[in-house]
Amino acid sequence: MSGSLNLSVGPTIAPYILPKFIKTYTGMFPQVKLSIVELKAGAMLNNLQTGMLDSGIAISGHIHDGILEIPLYTEPFWVYIAESCWRRLPVFKPENLEHEQMWIMKESQCLRDSAFSFCKSRNIGKRIYEAGSIETLIRIIDENGGFTIIPEMHLPMLSDSQRENVRRIEGDYLSQRRVSIYIREDFIRERILNSIVDALSVFVPKNMLEKRINKYGIRL
């Protein structure tokens, strides 16, 4: 495997996959010139269309003329709750997540067809954190109380004491986010595309990966 790969990764996904992806990919394919940039979905789609990028990894559901979306993996959300929060349930249901107790990072958590209803009615609540990182959001909750939802791949980043504040959410409906790989419809470099999947498959939990991707890879 040789040549170049110009890849984009969304900023709400990058912290969880890029460190291991870079190490894994460069170890598996040392002859490939790898270039990665963090871009939000709109910029990623535009750069794909103009040929500035070969591929992009972002939250599923973005539609753009001439762009093909291929589902990669589905990641569950968990509840992170402050020690001082009165609602310390052992397991949460979506209806347990009241607007007034919830902190929301809109860019990461209010996802098309894959977040809770409070994101669609966020004008009801008072606590919307407009930018930044999940790590900052967790620190805000530790100081101010309340709770939020965090992606499963953030769990290893928590301290031992913080892990005591994590709760499972019952059911899958609207409590997960899907991540896809995006390419131009006329993209023909199937082998380089599967090199991305091969590297991700090393560290993304098998139960998250799309079954067809896990079994067959990507076939153009």
Side-chain angles (χ1 to χ4, degrees), residues 142-169:
D142 289 342
E143 283 291 327
N144 296 274
F147 48 89
T148 191
I149 53 174
I150 62 175
E152 184 168 305
M153 282 196 279
H154 192 91
L155 299 184
M157 301 181 182
L158 299 175
S159 67
D160 290 341
S161 60
Q162 287 175 327
R163 290 188 190 190
E164 298 294 323
N165 300 329
V166 173
R167 298 291 186 273
R168 186 172 62 83
I169 302 172

Side-chain angles (χ1 to χ4, degrees), residues 42 69 78 83:
E69 175 188 338
W78 293 67
E83 289 185 12

Side-chain angles (χ1 to χ4, degrees), residues 84-140:
S84 60
C85 185
W86 67 273
R87 185 177 276 278
R88 292 186 65 83
L89 300 173
V91 177
F92 276 73
K93 298 179 181 179
E95 57 265 29
N96 298 140
L97 303 175
E98 300 96 339
H99 296 74
E100 296 302 325
Q101 292 293 321
M102 174 65 70
W103 289 88
I104 304 168
M105 191 171 76
K106 183 170 61 175
E107 185 66 32
S108 176
Q109 297 167 324
C110 292
L111 310 173
R112 187 182 292 107
D113 299 326
S114 58
F116 298 107
S117 59
F118 64 77
C119 289
K120 299 174 184 177
S121 307
R122 55 181 174 266
N123 57 311
I124 299 175
K126 299 178 181 178
R127 302 177 176 184
I128 300 177
Y129 179 51
E130 293 288 352
S133 67
I134 293 289
E135 183 63 37
T136 305
L137 191 63
I138 286 172
R139 293 181 183 181
I140 289 173

Side-chain angles (χ1 to χ4, degrees), residues 6-219:
N6 296 311
L7 179 67
S8 167
V9 179
T12 61
I13 302 169
Y16 309 115
I17 69 170
L18 272 190
K20 290 183 179 178
F21 177 81
I22 293 171
K23 181 178 182 180
T24 303
Y25 192 94
T26 54
M28 295 174 70
F29 309 105
Q31 300 304 315
V32 176
K33 182 180 179 183
L34 179 64
S35 176
I36 303 177
V37 60
E38 285 189 30
L39 293 174
K40 291 186 178 181
M44 176 201 71
L45 295 171
N46 289 334
N47 284 348
L48 281 172
Q49 192 172 49
T50 59
M52 298 291 290
L53 291 171
D54 296 310
S55 180
I57 299 174
I59 299 299
S60 301
H62 298 288
I63 300 173
H64 198 287
D65 289 341
I67 301 299
L68 179 65
E69 175 188 338
I70 305 168
L72 277 177
Y73 63 87
T74 301
E75 182 177 17
F77 280 122
W78 293 67
V79 170
Y80 182 83
I81 187 169
E83 289 185 12
S84 60
C85 185
W86 67 273
R87 185 177 276 278
R88 292 186 65 83
L89 300 173
V91 177
F92 276 73
K93 298 179 181 179
E95 57 265 29
N96 298 140
L97 303 175
E98 300 96 339
H99 296 74
E100 296 302 325
Q101 292 293 321
M102 174 65 70
W103 289 88
I104 304 168
M105 191 171 76
K106 183 170 61 175
E107 185 66 32
S108 176
Q109 297 167 324
C110 292
L111 310 173
R112 187 182 292 107
D113 299 326
S114 58
F116 298 107
S117 59
F118 64 77
C119 289
K120 299 174 184 177
S121 307
R122 55 181 174 266
N123 57 311
I124 299 175
K126 299 178 181 178
R127 302 177 176 184
I128 300 177
Y129 179 51
E130 293 288 352
S133 67
I134 293 289
E135 183 63 37
T136 305
L137 191 63
I138 286 172
R139 293 181 183 181
I140 289 173
I141 289 164
D142 289 342
E143 283 291 327
N144 296 274
F147 48 89
T148 191
I149 53 174
I150 62 175
E152 184 168 305
M153 282 196 279
H154 192 91
L155 299 184
M157 301 181 182
L158 299 175
S159 67
D160 290 341
S161 60
Q162 287 175 327
R163 290 188 190 190
E164 298 294 323
N165 300 329
V166 173
R167 298 291 186 273
R168 186 172 62 83
I169 302 172
E170 274 193 357
D172 293 329
Y173 181 65
L174 298 182
S175 60
Q176 58 193 15
R177 65 177 183 179
R178 297 187 72 190
V179 175
S180 294
I181 190 166
Y182 293 82
I183 55 173
R184 277 174 47 143
E185 287 183 344
D186 59 358
F187 190 80
I188 61 172
R189 299 173 65 198
E190 183 178 286
R191 192 178 175 200
I192 198 79
L193 199 59
N194 277 291
S195 71
I196 300 172
V197 174
D198 291 343
L200 288 171
S201 298
V202 171
F203 60 88
V204 173
K206 299 297 183 186
N207 63 311
M208 289 189 194
L209 289 169
E210 288 290 318
K211 290 182 179 179
R212 286 185 60 85
I213 289 284
N214 203 15
K215 190 172 183 180
Y216 303 111
I218 296 174
R219 297 181 180 179

